[in-house]
Amino acid sequence: MAATAHQALSPSPQLVGRSVEFATLWASVANGGGLVLVEGEAGVGKTCLITELKRDAARRFLLGRCYPVREAFPLGPVVEALRGVDGRWQSRSSPLTGALRPLLPELADRLPPAPEPLGDVLGERYRLFRGTIDLLAALGPTVLAIEDMHWSDESTCDLTTLLLQSLPANLSLVLSYRSHDLDAAAPFRTVLARLPPRTTRIDLQPLGVDEVRTLTGTLLHADNVSEQFAHLLWERTGGVPFAVEEVLRLLRGRNDLVERRGQWMRRTLDELAVPAAIRDTVLERLGRLGADARIVARAAAVWGGVIEDDAVPELSGLPVDSCAPALSEAIVAAMLSDDNGRIDFRHSLARQAVYDGTPGPDRRLLHARSAELLVRREPHALTRRAHHYRLAGRTAEWVQCAEQAADRLAAGGDVLSAAAFVEDAAATSTIPLDTRVRLALKLASWSRHGPRFERSVQILRDLLQQPNLTPPQRGELRASLGMLVVRYDVAGLADLEAALPDLAHRPDLYARALSTLAIPRLTATPVSTQLAWAERAVEVAAAVDDAEARVAVVVDRTALLGETADPGFRAALDVLPQPGAGAAHDRQLLRATINAVDALTGAGHYDEAAEWAGRADRLFDELAEERESYLGIGFEIYRLILRWSRGEWAGIEADVRSLLARGPTQGQLEHLLGRLLAARGDLPAAEERLRHAIDVLTAEADLRVAADAAGGLAAVLLARGSPEEAVAAALPALLVVRRKGAWTWATQFAPPLVAALLVAGRAEEAAELVADLAAGLADRDAPAGLAALAECRGQLAEHRGDFVAAAGSYDDAATRWKALPNPLRAAYAAESAGRVLAAAGQSGGVARLEDAHAGFIALGATWDANRVASVLRRAGAGVPHRRGRRGYGAQLSPREREVADLLTDGLTNRQIAEALFLSPRTAEAHVARVLRKLGVPSRDKLAQDGRAVNATGRQ
């Protein structure tokens, strides 16, 4: 009878000690649409627990496995599972499922025609993923189980991540893995870092003594196992069920188990120690097989997965009439299993033990046979053939297959797996130099798309030491090296510059190298020089066939114009190509759009920056996989900076901290957090953050934002009464700006630096800085820079004692900042105007101070507000305050309690707004206040530990 939601399956008697775990597993998959993680060490029973679900006739059960081979077949476990589909599926599959035809020829008669090629590798890859998800959705109630995810490849993990974002309602996903086998670079870690809310975790632990005794009785078909024997068995095996089973098989095979006085026990407890290592038990059992059966077992171990029984003679080298009984002997001895002619080891531990125990010459021979068998039976299995050829010591065939497999992966969009396939070959010194250079150049090209490229850099450096390189080879290698290294070290620019004379044969690479050299924030190279490089790059790229290279250099030139507030920036934006020419093309346009948000924010065109942020969002809808890439992270940072600039601070600190927690430290986020802390009045913490930001940004070669952070640090140090330190903090940024000629970069640091120089008695330097700033901004389209210049002029006038002129400049600055709008900088300028007017005895000073106070209060800049309040009190004016509904102080208001409840349940700001009939902006403000009052650093932390207890009474 099929199991229903009201009729739970019970585990079979062989599944000892796992009733609770199986009940959890079954309940989790009964209604579909959830993820179950089954974690445990090797041999603890993950496979047995999962395969119990096969007895549920109400849903399909599809099983795939990952294998411990370096050149894993991308999506291999998912393809293996889908090959188990039989019959028709319940609903019509989408046209995208036709993309699976090359991978699933067994289902070709039930799949729609293959779609037309996109001509874009990442687009093809994304379509393949969507087709897989659509097919799974069409199957009806299904359990998809993938075992040993600690060995999974990046493509399988990327598909899993995408699948979890839109898990079909009738699909349950069960993943098993060993946490202790997850190294730092394991792709599965990315899946574990982004688990959906409906995730069930099952942590399988070894059995206890009583459970080992029960399992032993079950395996011996007896209820009378001695306590002594069970305890010794538990002690020697650690309670790992597979180890218990293997040891019992060994002891029984030796006739060391006897029944005495109605109980099963060892013949003599002191005669024979139970083997501590499972490998020893497996190898001893292997040694008890006949010679032919041992050959068959070793052949299956080297093959490394399921093999059809009719292929065993060819693989093992045994005649058919000898192979059949040998195979039967290995199956009867429980060394191998037989599932309708599909032969495999009963456990991966046994396979590995037999593999490790196979002599080297025999292993190499069997790997060679495995490769040749694949040629005849699975000619498209290039990845597995490469694996076997490599371990067979057949280098030429290994390199050929690895390169073909990598090219195919790259054509399908999986460039990271492609890079992994060729990096060992490119590093092998016995391979011909021309071949190594070709592979290394492909490796460098593919590595640029991923986070891990250190080994690629080392391979390129090693090759550049070879004396027999031709000038074109040296130029390509050096340029490729430079474009990798420049991602984390400006030293890469030297490689790019040195490569240029040897790139005449590669205009595409020449253009990309020049374009990279023209990235403005990397060095203090004059903008005029970089603009010439950028123009030349566009000119060269216009004549090449590489469409991505053409659009990339145009995007780079546009970014240069934007970062320096060049008047031609908008015209460059207007002539950018339209999206729709493929994923690679659209990715470059996405980069241009994100750069526009950054540049327009820096120049002070906030409304336009918001419009371009909307365009970026629409492009992200088409390139969903880029949300988690460096482009997506950068876009989130730029959007936070825009919010900060416009005074939209509700919830911003929590969002900054949340983004910081998602990955490596980002200098721009540290800078922004330092600014927020300064506005709140936490000057020591702000100083620490800003110093760290400058260090990180300098290491990241982001000189433009480092200049912004230097301005923030100078302002903090000045507020703490350390003008000389403030000057020292900002002067390096001034030197960069002077040398580069990028005066819009001085917007953040010029006002605090001028103020610090004046306090420190260095008025001539301050005046020179203001004059240079005015000249540098004369031909720039930078309203924020002009507002900062007005502040600086006011500071000079105030220092001269010309308070009326100073007030006029400060008023000019306040008007400019308010027009952007930048309410924080407008409030600072209004405060300065009020201060000098009050000092001069002029009317209007108090009114301006009151405006500044109101601006700081509205932002939540409490420290600044308190400073202005003290000035107002000294001037004999009352401090304005807002009247209205009762305040709740540090306690949550009734509405805030409701918000806290919803946050604890994991709702987003938009969902909270819908649930409480609020505007999104109001909901965002409530969330920020709840987090601040509860002292919780992020909404995720609140959802995890239920910190709303004090406010809501929930336990």
Side-chain angles (χ1 to χ4, degrees), residues 220-302:
L220 297 176
H221 305 290
D223 297 325
N224 49 355
V225 176
S226 72
E227 290 184 12
Q228 271 186 304
F229 178 56
H231 189 276
L232 180 60
L233 199 56
W234 172 79
E235 197 174 59
R236 301 293 183 177
T237 63
V240 175
F242 176 71
V244 172
E245 186 174 349
E246 291 301 306
V247 168
L248 287 174
R249 290 184 188 279
L250 174 62
L251 294 177
R252 198 163 193 180
R254 292 175 171 176
N255 294 319
D256 260 329
L257 288 177
V258 296
E259 188 175 11
R260 290 179 182 166
R261 296 184 298 277
Q263 287 193 321
W264 283 94
M265 59 183 65
R266 282 210 15 230
R267 187 180 297 278
T268 56
L269 287 174
D270 297 326
E271 265 183 74
L272 178 67
V274 176
I278 294 175
R279 181 175 299 165
D280 294 340
T281 67
V282 173
L283 292 180
E284 188 164 349
R285 286 178 51 225
L286 179 69
R288 299 174 66 84
L289 297 177
D292 287 351
R294 287 199 301 273
I295 291 173
V296 166
R298 286 170 173 163
V302 171

Side-chain angles (χ1 to χ4, degrees), residues 75 165 167 224 243 293 350 373 431 457 585 603 623 641 713 726 761 824 868 884 903 906:
L75 302 184
Q165 293 175 2
L167 198 65
N224 49 355
L373 182 61
I431 293 173
V457 167
H585 176 275
L623 299 166
I641 294 172
L713 179 59
L824 179 66
V868 176
L903 278 172

Side-chain angles (χ1 to χ4, degrees), residues 28-34 59 133 136-138 140-142 163 166-173 198:
S28 299
V29 305
N31 296 317
R59 49 185 51 82
I133 295 173
L136 289 168
T142 300
L163 178 61
S166 55
L167 198 65
N170 284 326
L171 178 67
S172 296
L173 185 60
R198 287 190 60 190

Side-chain angles (χ1 to χ4, degrees), residues 20-36:
V20 173
E21 290 86 349
F22 182 74
T24 302
L25 175 61
W26 190 88
S28 299
V29 305
N31 296 317
L35 167 67
V36 183

